[in-house]
Amino acid sequence: GKAAALYPKRINMRGMKDEEEAVRYLDWLIGQIEETRARKSEITPRYTSRGVVNIMELLMALPRTNCKECGEPTCMAFAAKVRAGELEPADCPPLEREEYARNRDAVNGILQKAGWRPLDA
């Protein structure tokens, strides 16, 4: 994916296909920084690092329907994006169904055990 590293006098970005995409990404990044600054009194810092989530453990906890309802081609792709922080368990429609409540609990348990929390928590 795309990534940016911020330093005192420069920003390094990777994964951009061209300069136009880099400018759009930089504009988005500036917006995120401004929004964070505006909400700083509402934000609780985390002083510990997140643990590593085993992608296979996460995959095995998912319904593994490969239904594509989340927009990803497979449950493995979905698990990778959850681990990367690009998606959340709630982005998997089957996990919201009662028949997959055990899967939902297992996925949330794996993430909580690793110290993950939703961005707005």
Side-chain angles (χ1 to χ4, degrees):
K2 297 167 184 21
L6 293 102
Y7 298 95
K9 296 186 182 205
R10 73 177 194 278
I11 298 174
N12 289 352
M13 297 189 309
R14 70 172 172 84
M16 309 301 147
K17 66 181 178 184
D18 56 26
E19 186 176 340
E20 182 179 319
E21 183 176 27
V23 169
R24 280 195 318 271
Y25 186 83
L26 186 56
D27 288 342
W28 171 83
L29 183 59
I30 290 168
Q32 293 295 302
I33 292 168
E34 289 171 349
E35 180 185 336
T36 301
R37 179 180 216 153
R39 293 183 46 229
K40 70 180 178 180
S41 64
E42 306 167 22
I43 298 171
T44 303
R46 181 188 311 191
Y47 296 103
T48 59
S49 63
R50 292 190 307 199
V52 176
V53 173
N54 180 309
I55 195 164
M56 291 308 293
E57 183 182 10
L58 189 57
L59 173 63
M60 296 310 289
L62 288 170
R64 297 191 313 273
T65 61
N66 289 329
C67 64
K68 300 177 183 60
E69 289 182 58
C70 63
E72 297 303 318
T74 64
C75 291
M76 177 62 124
F78 178 81
K81 287 200 173 182
V82 169
R83 184 176 76 169
E86 296 173 29
L87 293 174
E88 294 188 12
D91 294 318
C92 173
L95 278 181
E96 298 301 309
R97 297 181 191 134
E98 190 56 38
E99 66 193 279
Y100 293 112
R102 292 176 114 181
N103 298 82
R104 180 176 56 247
D105 292 343
V107 168
N108 288 330
I110 290 166
L111 295 175
Q112 288 172 358
K113 184 175 72 175
W116 290 51
R117 66 180 185 201
L119 292 176
D120 59 356

